[in-house]
Amino acid sequence: MKTVAVGTNNEAKIAAVRAVLSEKEYRIVSLEVPSGVSAQPLSDEETRLGAIGRAKRALEATEADIGIGLEGGVTKIDGQWWLCNWGALVDRDGVVVAAGGARLALPPDVGAGIEAGRELGDVMEAYTGRRNVRRKEGAVGVLTNGRVDRSAMFSHIVELLAGQYEWLCQNGSFHV
């Protein structure tokens, strides 16, 4: 049985990993580690680097076989703020894979909060009047009217990571 260290204590992200990786094959542990990027990543590049940083730090801080990092952020495209999210998986042999997920336009009021230097989770709480949005449905859950929550969004990324990793283990690795 392989041990997977997830670089967060966020329940939605941990649930995503548990939904994809079978407890028959993997023991999943979670721990809070720094991403190495700003608290609110402001681009796809920064969000991807945050996911890789979390995956590497989770692996380094444990005896796990695999580290997984999941990072949510925002990115600006043609003057519009968009939700973005990335994940990374690393192993002790130096394999690093990454995958990006859904993109969703943020309402102008939310974008204004980002422009003012606030984190998306805080902006979404003010926007909705709900508490702990980032640990529950996430901005994606709010903005899709509950059709896709944060855990489901990150589950898709974990599926991409697991599939890439399996393929690379069978066919030879490359680094991102």
Side-chain angles (χ1 to χ4, degrees):
M1 178 176 288
K2 289 188 175 188
T3 299
V4 175
V6 184
T8 186
N9 284 325
N10 182 293
E11 290 300 323
K13 294 177 181 180
I14 297 164
V17 175
R18 290 189 192 288
V20 174
L21 301 181
S22 165
E23 292 186 32
K24 293 178 184 176
E25 296 178 51
Y26 299 96
R27 184 174 75 89
I28 299 166
V29 298
S30 64
L31 67 157
E32 196 63 45
V33 296
S35 65
V37 300
S38 61
Q40 178 58 71
L42 297 175
S43 68
D44 268 313
E45 294 83 1
E46 186 179 14
T47 308
R48 182 182 65 83
L49 289 174
I52 293 169
R54 285 188 193 279
K56 288 181 176 181
R57 287 176 184 87
L59 189 66
E60 291 166 359
T62 64
E63 298 293 319
D65 303 291
I66 293 170
I68 291 181
L70 300 170
E71 190 76 14
V74 295
T75 191
K76 201 168 196 181
I77 303 170
D78 295 331
Q80 171 75 47
W81 284 103
W82 292 73
L83 174 73
C84 69
N85 47 87
W86 282 85
L89 179 152
V90 301
D91 74 5
R92 297 237 171 246
D93 293 329
V95 172
V96 178
V97 295
R103 301 288 178 278
L104 196 67
L106 298 174
D109 292 350
V110 174
I114 299 298
E115 292 280 346
R118 298 173 59 208
E119 288 186 42
L120 179 60
D122 297 333
V123 175
M124 290 305 296
E125 286 184 12
Y127 184 74
T128 63
R130 300 180 197 164
R131 295 183 49 84
N132 293 319
V133 171
R134 79 183 78 210
R135 294 195 166 273
K136 295 178 183 172
E137 71 269 41
V140 69
V142 171
L143 298 173
T144 63
N145 206 32
R147 287 183 177 262
V148 178
D149 65 16
R150 196 164 197 227
S151 181
M153 178 185 70
F154 277 115
S155 292
H156 182 250
I157 291 174
V158 177
E159 289 280 9
L160 293 170
L161 296 173
Q164 284 182 89
Y165 185 67
E166 291 166 0
W167 187 87
L168 291 172
C169 286
Q170 296 166 359
N171 296 287
S173 65
F174 66 93
H175 298 277
V176 295

